[in-house]
Amino acid sequence: MANFKNTFLNGIVKENPTFRLVLGMCPTLAVTTSVQNGLGMGLATAFVLVCSNFVISLIRSFVPSKVRIPAYIVVIATFVTVVQLLMNAFLPDLASSLGLFIPLIVVNCIIFARAEAFASKNGPLDSVADGLGMGLGFTLSLTIISAVRELIGAGTLMGVSVLGPNYPGALLFVLAPGGYITLGLVMVAFNAVMKKLDSRRKGAEGSVA
Amino acid sequence: MIKENLWLILLGSILVNNFVMSKFLGTCPFLGVSKKVSTAVGMGVAVTFVMGVASLVTYFVQYYILEKFGLQYLQTIAFILVIAVLVQLVEMVINKTSPSLYKALGVYLPLITTNCAVLGVTILNITESYSLLGSVVNGVGSALGFMLAIVLFAGVRERLENSDIPACFKGFPSTLIAAGLMSVAFLGFQGLI
């Protein structure tokens, strides 16, 4: 069980897919214009990631390694289609604002990378934990980035006005360049925090010794 | 069918709706393969070829197979399979006909399958209901826009490598911010059409 927890936590902080592994940049940059979109995209990706990790780890022993990539793509595309149909039926607003990027979950490198690097080598339970951790780590980073962009760009959070009606809004942060710049700056902050934590841990060990 | 202006599609897809700079498609290879100008050019050429052919093939798949049998919901699966097969085919053909080009493109060929620009352009062609010719022009134009961005950015990055920047900004953060500034420049094309 400790193993399950470690695998799970690994994806959220230590190997955070966005800030550490730098995977899945396209949706990260494109849909984070508002918290709703970021959160929706993150959860949709997490769902696909958990399901595809589970199935791929079940079929890993009898899929010949030569055809494993097409096989994985079919598994992933199937779950993406499931998400696409469910979202169109139950969350049509979200579906239309995410648009093109729902089918593009298929080619999100995070899903493929985890299938190849983790699910094809580990059992179903661990793979689910990995998918859950990676998926939530991805959701967390999307939510952070979209919160920054929505707050600075429009003065709102989840559509609720935070900075008051007189806030002029900074369109740059909602437009394309804001995506790159915000992600860069959030990554700097993440690196700085991780560095501080590392040095504090080292400092604590040093004082004990 | 309304007559499309092919020049507008071409110009729009290269400059105004540049895939990398304003639509965020193909960002992964954009950040991954833009370290050197020469590799960026190789990647760009390979992507242009695949995107042109993929636009052509998926047009027929959509209108003559999926819509004929009412299978539109299989679009995602069908298109990604077409692209995967196509990339494999292109790899084999290039290997047979021109080994030197094959060597130059190397690992970039298989990587194209997971380039979301390719799947993105094929789906966009359908949602924008372009004609056959329009689809191919849009595919090639978008790919040329991708190539333009990746080659320009490789030039920026080659200089960025040697500059003195704070430790926290090293690597990806500085690259992303540079990409953001370049994207601001591409915003200037917005009023072109």
Side-chain angles (χ1 to χ4, degrees):
Chain A
M1 218 54 211
N3 200 8
F4 189 91
K5 201 176 138 202
N6 278 343
T7 317
F8 174 68
L9 287 178
N10 188 32
I12 294 186
V13 183
K14 216 166 76 196
E15 283 190 17
N16 185 296
T18 308
F19 299 133
R20 277 294 155 114
L21 305 181
V22 200
L23 290 172
M25 284 295 108
C26 304
T28 310
L29 292 161
V31 304
T32 51
T33 46
S34 75
V35 177
Q36 257 156 339
N37 286 356
L39 200 60
M41 186 69 201
L43 292 178
T45 310
F47 171 78
V48 175
L49 194 51
V50 171
C51 295
S52 64
N53 257 7
F54 180 68
V55 171
I56 286 167
S57 85
L58 283 181
I59 61 171
R60 71 184 193 282
S61 48
F62 54 82
V63 169
S65 70
K66 261 191 181 160
V67 296
R68 72 180 191 287
I69 289 175
Y72 294 171
I73 286 183
V74 173
V75 170
I76 295 168
T78 308
F79 286 113
V80 171
T81 307
V82 170
V83 168
Q84 212 175 342
L85 294 176
L86 284 177
M87 220 183 243
N88 272 329
F90 295 107
L91 299 164
D93 290 343
L94 186 65
S96 68
S97 68
L98 292 180
L100 180 63
F101 285 90
I102 306 171
L104 287 185
I105 298 176
V106 179
V107 282
N108 188 327
C109 351
I110 297 178
I111 300 180
F112 213 77
R114 293 329 285 177
E116 180 75 8
F118 199 93
S120 61
K121 297 187 188 97
N122 291 282
L125 193 67
D126 283 330
S127 299
V128 168
D130 181 70
L132 212 57
M134 283 290 161
L136 292 180
F138 183 62
T139 310
L140 183 74
S141 25
L142 282 196
T143 312
I144 294 173
I145 297 164
S146 55
V148 172
R149 281 180 77 181
E150 199 187 335
L151 190 67
I152 300 178
T156 57
L157 274 180
M158 295 289 281
V160 179
S161 176
V162 177
L163 297 178
N166 290 328
Y167 184 70
L171 196 58
L172 187 71
F173 274 82
V174 182
L175 289 175
Y180 284 110
I181 295 173
T182 312
L183 180 58
L185 293 179
V186 173
M187 216 180 252
V188 171
F190 189 84
N191 281 350
V193 170
M194 289 304 271
K195 214 175 200 176
K196 201 146 217 181
L197 285 179
D198 267 0
S199 67
R200 189 178 297 166
R201 200 172 303 143
K202 263 181 210 142
E205 279 165 16
S207 65
V208 169
Chain B
M1 200 185 291
I2 315 154
K3 189 91 182 74
E4 307 153 314
N5 190 334
L6 295 179
W7 279 112
L8 273 188
I9 297 179
L10 186 68
L11 204 63
S13 56
I14 295 180
L15 292 177
V16 183
N17 292 318
N18 186 289
F19 259 31
V20 182
M21 286 298 150
S22 71
K23 281 201 178 142
F24 295 123
L25 290 169
T27 327
C28 295
F30 172 68
L31 294 173
V33 202
S34 61
K35 279 200 178 125
K36 270 166 73 187
V37 174
S38 54
T39 52
V41 172
M43 182 72 179
V45 170
V47 167
T48 309
F49 188 67
V50 172
M51 268 166 81
V53 181
S55 297
L56 184 77
V57 175
T58 51
Y59 181 88
F60 289 112
V61 170
Q62 173 75 15
Y63 293 109
Y64 291 95
I65 299 176
L66 295 181
E67 287 204 351
K68 207 166 185 185
F69 298 105
L71 296 171
Q72 283 94 333
Y73 64 93
L74 285 178
Q75 195 192 48
T76 313
I77 301 181
F79 280 17
I80 191 71
L81 281 180
V82 166
I83 292 168
V85 170
L86 208 63
V87 170
Q88 195 87 56
L89 213 66
V90 166
E91 203 179 333
M92 274 152 42
V93 168
I94 294 183
N95 193 9
K96 270 272 188 292
T97 53
S98 146
S100 56
L101 180 66
Y102 181 76
K103 244 191 190 148
L105 294 179
V107 289
Y108 303 119
L109 274 173
L111 274 181
I112 296 172
T113 313
T114 52
N115 183 341
C116 54
V118 181
L119 184 60
V121 83
T122 58
I123 295 175
L124 270 180
N125 283 338
I126 305 300
T127 50
E128 301 275 322
S129 53
Y130 284 140
S131 69
L132 178 61
L133 204 57
S135 301
V136 175
V137 169
N138 188 36
V140 173
S142 304
L144 288 177
F146 172 77
M147 187 164 156
L148 177 74
I150 197 172
V151 172
L152 282 180
F153 195 57
V156 173
R157 259 182 103 165
E158 276 183 359
R159 305 205 54 168
L160 208 62
E161 284 290 295
N162 302 322
S163 46
D164 183 30
I165 39 179
C168 286
F169 280 85
K170 279 244 166 72
F172 273 105
S174 61
T175 310
L176 283 166
I177 291 169
L181 295 178
M182 206 163 119
S183 170
V184 175
F186 267 82
L187 269 186
F189 289 120
Q190 211 70 279
L192 204 61
I193 288 181

